[in-house]
Amino acid sequence: MKRPLLSTALLLTGAGGLFLLINSMQGCRPNTTTQTVVGGDAAAKTYVKPGSYDEFYNFVSGGFSGQLSVYGLPSGRMLRNIPVFSVNPESGYGYSEETKPMLMTTHGFIPWDDSHHPELSQTDGIPDGKWCFINGNNTPRIALVDLGTFRTQSIIEIPNCAGNHSSPFTTPNSEYVISGTRFSIPMGTESERDVPIESYRENFKGTVSFIHPEPESGKMSIAFQVITPGMNFDLSHTGKGVSDGWFFFSCYNSEQAYSLLEVNASQRDKDFIMALNWKKAEQYMKEGKGRKVPGKYYSNWYNESTHTAESTIMEEVLQLDPRELKDLVYFMPCPKSPHGCDVDPTGQYIVGSGKLAALIPVFDFTKIQAAIAANDVEGDFMGIPVLKYESVIKGEVKKPGLGPLHTEFDHKGNAYTSMFVSSEIVKWSLSTLEVLDRVPTYYSIGHLCIPGGDSKKPWGKYVIAYNKITKDRFLPTGPELAQSAQLYSIDGDKMELLLDFPTIGEPHYAQAIPADLVKPREVKFFKIEENKHPYVAKGEKETKIERKGNQVHVWMTSIRSHFTPDNIEGVRIGDEVYFHLTNLEQDWDVPHGFAIKGAATAELLVMPGETQTLKWIPEQVGVLPFYCTDFCSALHQEMQGYIRVSPAGSKVELKAETRSVDAGS
Ligand code: RUQ
Ligand code: CUA
């Protein structure tokens, strides 16, 4: 979390033979510290009075929590922490039998990941409020969160990939979201993968995968992969407007180092931005070009009518090789170890942010096309043409600050770049490339976000900084401190700090969208008559208990304020008990919980109209209670039951009942 991006004491930026001495590299700390200047009306600008709604949703990466969190803006109020790549005891996600398949991979059940970059689905290049994608960096995956339910709908594993960082950026109509591998690796058959690490140059390759989400269901599959030279791929963004049909990726480690990258991957003055013609790639796929290669992966999808996740396992992928399909991929030199790769709202300009560069290069799409047409190259890199830097560049932003990472855009022709090392946001003009304003961030900003700021239609209004370090910003909480977001107004010429709010996990990228584009989609409850779960009980009369060998299945219902059945006997040590709980409520915001003594996983939190299953293996003889965990009514504390567990081999008859009204007296 607190690991600085740059940790070498001495950085040699070859660009101008410039030495930067950056001690400890945690980012320079502006010396204003706690006496940050905040304008007198800042409070009024972020005040959302009790009972009213925020104007924007802000979807923020949960970083190493593996989740996606949702805040309201401008208040900074946290609305929800959506479980995605990590199990969540709050809701039973990843613990209930129905959600376990969501986390299945070729490595088995993987209950954790490191999530980085939320990306909203788009229609015609504009965020549409339907889905939010997010990548899992560690065991390469992409998730699709449905913004009707604010739940993870689908997760796909990415084969032939290691460190899914350059992901999950979308094409303008969400035909594809992409995954570029951070780490290159050897791929193919087992013997092709079992090679010496020092054979990196010969054997290690990267891939970019194009993942297609089905518009209706949100099921995902891999349409094709483009194979690339061995390097590290960091971030990307799609072209739009004039550059629609292209994708741009930042690449570092063009040194092809495989050890001590801190030094060995910082040798060259320039690495690359990779330009990839995805419409061409799609055409080649349709023409049957490329070849099928081994690439096993899981595609997991939550079926909302059975309330159960399903896994589909695929064995191979179609790979396109740009060394054969010559007009697919081009490299453009980019100073130095680029991280962010951002495209302005018109699609004309591509901004590469070199972590070790003392300037920000701005590439011009028209010039890129001209250079390709004229074969204006300076050579090739591993068989891929490298265009001449001078031919493709619009210009450079001079002296922007130290450690540029990411750039977002407003609707007035301005760009905003985060500076990790000098810990600031720098605003500059896309037309003149002049720096217009800078504000400190507290501290060590990584990503930043403007509502719609990576799309064709930025809504503007705010820029939010996502910071790595918060020393002295909040009340101390032991050795581990909160990460944070900071909200700045960008309405005027000068950026103005309005608010700090802590975040969960490390906030990498984020997206923000007007709430009015999301709210109309909200699902308030699931219709009980449409529930197709195999163990549903659509009313108390359908509840029952059945033994199948050592498995005991309980069809159970909940409604304010009781479970049916609530007295169960005849369970024995050695049994596996499956509580299939259907919440019969048909009203918004009335979940019931289910917890049982000795449960080794989590509770269940079951939404109205939904069925979820908790597997419980009793370990002790006796009568154990279960209860509702969600304070659902005045008699919530009465919402309880008992299960009797007898020794193995016991003859106690299996039965489940709810006794009559006077049974308790
Ligand atoms: S990366 S700073 Cu995934 Cu920029 Cu977070
Ligand atoms: Cu149901 Cu408390």
Side-chain angles (χ1 to χ4, degrees):
M1 148 179 79
K2 310 297 196 277
R3 231 165 275 137
L5 270 178
L6 316 174
S7 63
T8 325
L10 190 63
L11 288 176
L12 172 62
T13 73
L18 172 73
F19 286 82
L20 294 176
L21 182 62
I22 304 172
N23 59 19
S24 95
M25 302 312 267
Q26 286 212 336
C28 305
R29 204 152 281 172
N31 50 18
T32 40
T33 60
T34 42
Q35 325 111 32
T36 319
V37 189
V38 175
D41 58 347
K45 288 182 180 161
T46 62
Y47 185 66
V48 176
K49 70 173 189 294
S52 51
Y53 290 154
D54 277 291
E55 184 182 356
F56 294 95
Y57 280 106
N58 188 198
F59 297 94
V60 182
S61 155
F64 39 73
S65 82
Q67 319 291 41
L68 174 68
S69 40
V70 187
Y71 299 83
L73 296 178
S75 72
R77 298 190 291 205
M78 192 190 181
L79 305 174
R80 178 133 293 281
N81 188 32
I82 303 174
V84 183
F85 295 113
S86 303
V87 293
N88 184 14
E90 186 192 354
S91 61
Y93 175 84
Y95 293 109
S96 70
E97 295 307 298
E98 289 79 0
T99 54
K100 279 178 185 170
M102 293 300 285
L103 300 175
M104 279 304 296
T105 73
T106 55
H107 298 271
F109 179 77
I110 302 289
W112 171 84
D113 214 307
D114 177 20
S115 63
H116 274 238
H117 314 126
E119 170 91 336
L120 291 164
S121 58
Q122 299 185 352
T123 301
D124 192 26
I126 302 170
D128 55 21
K130 186 177 175 192
W131 296 327
C132 186
F133 300 98
I134 186 164
N135 62 321
N137 196 44
N138 182 49
T139 304
R141 287 176 279 181
I142 288 176
L144 178 157
V145 173
D146 186 302
L147 299 185
T149 57
F150 279 60
R151 285 177 162 194
T152 304
Q153 177 81 41
S154 152
I155 294 183
I156 188 168
E157 185 182 10
I158 317 295
N160 303 322
C161 175
N164 173 34
H165 193 261
S166 188
S167 179
F169 301 97
T170 177
T171 54
N173 287 298
S174 293
E175 301 96 330
Y176 301 108
V177 288
I178 53 96
S179 155
T181 188
R182 173 170 164 205
F183 310 108
S184 285
I185 43 165
M187 355 179 163
T189 60
E190 229 173 51
S191 63
E192 286 168 324
R193 300 198 311 265
D194 179 20
V195 296
I197 296 170
E198 62 187 20
S199 71
Y200 186 106
R201 221 183 122 74
E202 308 89 86
N203 291 326
F204 287 43
K205 296 274 179 289
T207 51
V208 174
S209 303
F210 283 74
I211 291 108
H212 175 66
E214 281 175 21
E216 287 303 311
S217 65
K219 272 185 195 167
M220 294 191 281
S221 59
I222 295 177
F224 55 89
Q225 289 187 325
V226 176
I227 191 154
T228 68
M231 244 189 308
N232 289 45
F233 293 84
D234 215 0
L235 282 149
S236 51
H237 266 100
T238 188
K240 47 174 107 72
V242 281
S243 56
D244 188 13
W246 289 74
F247 239 110
F248 303 94
F249 297 83
S250 54
C251 322
Y252 66 105
N253 190 23
S254 57
E255 295 84 353
Q256 301 188 306
Y258 46 86
S259 182
L260 201 64
L261 266 66
E262 165 179 56
V263 177
N264 293 331
S266 304
Q267 298 299 309
R268 290 171 47 128
D269 285 352
K270 293 195 175 70
D271 295 278
F272 300 117
I273 298 288
M274 180 172 83
L276 190 161
N277 187 336
W278 70 263
K279 289 240 165 107
K280 239 303 121 71
E282 187 184 51
Q283 180 195 326
Y284 285 141
M285 167 189 73
K286 289 180 180 156
E287 289 168 5
K289 302 265 169 60
R291 61 184 156 273
K292 292 266 170 76
V293 301
K296 188 171 174 179
Y297 65 97
Y298 273 68
S299 177
N300 308 320
W301 176 70
Y302 194 78
N303 181 334
E304 250 169 39
S305 71
T306 60
H307 299 283
T308 305
E310 301 163 5
S311 294
T312 311
I313 301 160
M314 321 285 237
E315 297 288 343
E316 42 177 38
V317 283
L318 178 73
Q319 257 181 12
L320 305 173
D321 187 341
R323 286 167 309 181
E324 293 157 13
L325 304 165
K326 296 255 178 235
D327 47 3
L328 223 45
V329 173
Y330 302 87
F331 286 129
M332 307 185 288
C334 180
K336 174 175 187 174
S337 301
H339 185 59
C341 179
D342 300 288
V343 181
D344 88 303
T346 66
Q348 187 71 38
Y349 303 120
I350 297 101
V351 180
S353 298
K355 307 184 292 277
L356 308 185
L359 50 83
I360 302 173
V362 180
F363 299 88
D364 182 324
F365 184 73
T366 309
K367 290 187 171 183
I368 296 169
Q369 293 309 299
I372 291 171
N375 196 26
D376 192 3
V377 298
E378 61 172 50
D380 77 291
F381 181 79
M382 309 286 289
I384 306 293
V386 180
L387 305 174
K388 273 203 198 104
Y389 181 68
E390 294 71 25
S391 306
V392 293
I393 200 92
K394 166 186 164 70
E396 296 166 338
V397 182
K398 306 283 190 204
K399 301 213 174 102
L402 298 178
L405 289 189
H406 298 282
T407 302
E408 291 263 299
F409 306 90
D410 68 13
H411 52 295
K412 300 178 208 157
N414 300 307
Y416 300 75
T417 302
S418 58
M419 299 287 169
F420 176 79
V421 176
S422 53
S423 195
E424 58 188 335
I425 298 175
V426 173
K427 173 182 174 183
W428 49 276
S429 160
L430 271 165
S431 54
T432 65
L433 307 187
E434 273 165 357
V435 171
L436 303 173
D437 189 25
R438 55 179 74 235
V439 284
T441 57
Y442 306 90
Y443 306 94
S444 301
I445 179 174
H447 279 264
L448 75 182
C449 158
I450 290 173
D454 72 335
S455 78
K456 243 164 118 173
K457 184 185 169 187
W459 286 280
K461 204 156 176 174
Y462 304 109
V463 63
I464 309 107
Y466 298 95
N467 302 318
K468 309 294 188 192
I469 295 170
T470 56
K471 254 176 214 169
D472 78 21
R473 296 301 286 184
F474 301 106
L475 281 174
T477 53
E480 188 189 356
L481 299 174
Q483 287 86 3
S484 86
Q486 292 188 287
L487 182 78
Y488 298 79
S489 164
I490 55 170
D491 278 340
D493 290 339
K494 298 279 169 201
M495 293 175 275
E496 183 195 1
L497 176 60
L498 302 177
L499 182 74
D500 281 21
F501 58 97
T503 63
I504 290 189
E506 181 179 341
H508 286 272
Y509 197 30
Q511 298 264 282
I513 184 170
D516 288 341
L517 293 178
V518 176
K519 276 191 318 211
R521 297 178 42 79
E522 287 322 278
V523 171
K524 296 197 164 148
F525 57 86
F526 301 102
K527 293 195 183 113
I528 191 86
E529 67 272 17
E530 291 173 10
N531 184 325
K532 298 203 174 64
H533 192 288
Y535 290 91
V536 67
K538 293 190 184 179
E540 293 181 0
K541 290 205 172 69
E542 295 181 16
T543 60
K544 58 181 169 177
I545 190 163
E546 265 177 32
R547 172 179 289 284
K548 292 175 189 158
N550 74 330
Q551 290 189 351
V552 175
H553 292 269
V554 187
W555 282 250
M556 186 182 264
T557 61
S558 60
I559 194 158
R560 282 163 285 180
S561 301
H562 60 277
F563 293 105
T564 307
D566 67 4
N567 280 201
I568 298 169
E569 299 194 3
V571 167
R572 309 187 286 244
I573 296 292
D575 285 346
E576 289 176 352
V577 184
Y578 293 83
F579 296 98
H580 307 286
L581 178 62
T582 301
N583 181 351
L584 296 176
E585 307 279 356
Q586 290 288 275
D587 195 2
W588 195 22
D589 201 21
V590 197
H592 291 287
F594 178 83
I596 181 156
K597 187 180 176 190
T601 55
E603 63 151 353
L604 292 179
L605 192 64
V606 187
M607 297 304 127
E610 182 182 45
T611 306
Q612 292 285 286
T613 302
L614 187 78
K615 176 180 170 183
W616 177 67
I617 300 179
E619 306 279 358
Q620 293 177 8
V621 170
V623 176
L624 293 102
F626 53 86
Y627 70 101
C628 170
T629 51
D630 191 286
F631 207 107
C632 49
S633 70
L635 295 175
H636 153 81
Q637 287 294 84
E638 280 68 20
M639 196 164 172
Q640 64 156 56
Y642 286 112
I643 184 166
R644 174 180 169 191
V645 179
S646 304
S650 149
K651 291 280 177 298
V652 174
E653 181 200 346
L654 187 69
K655 63 177 178 189
E657 57 193 350
T658 302
R659 299 187 199 229
S660 61
V661 183
D662 53 2
S665 59

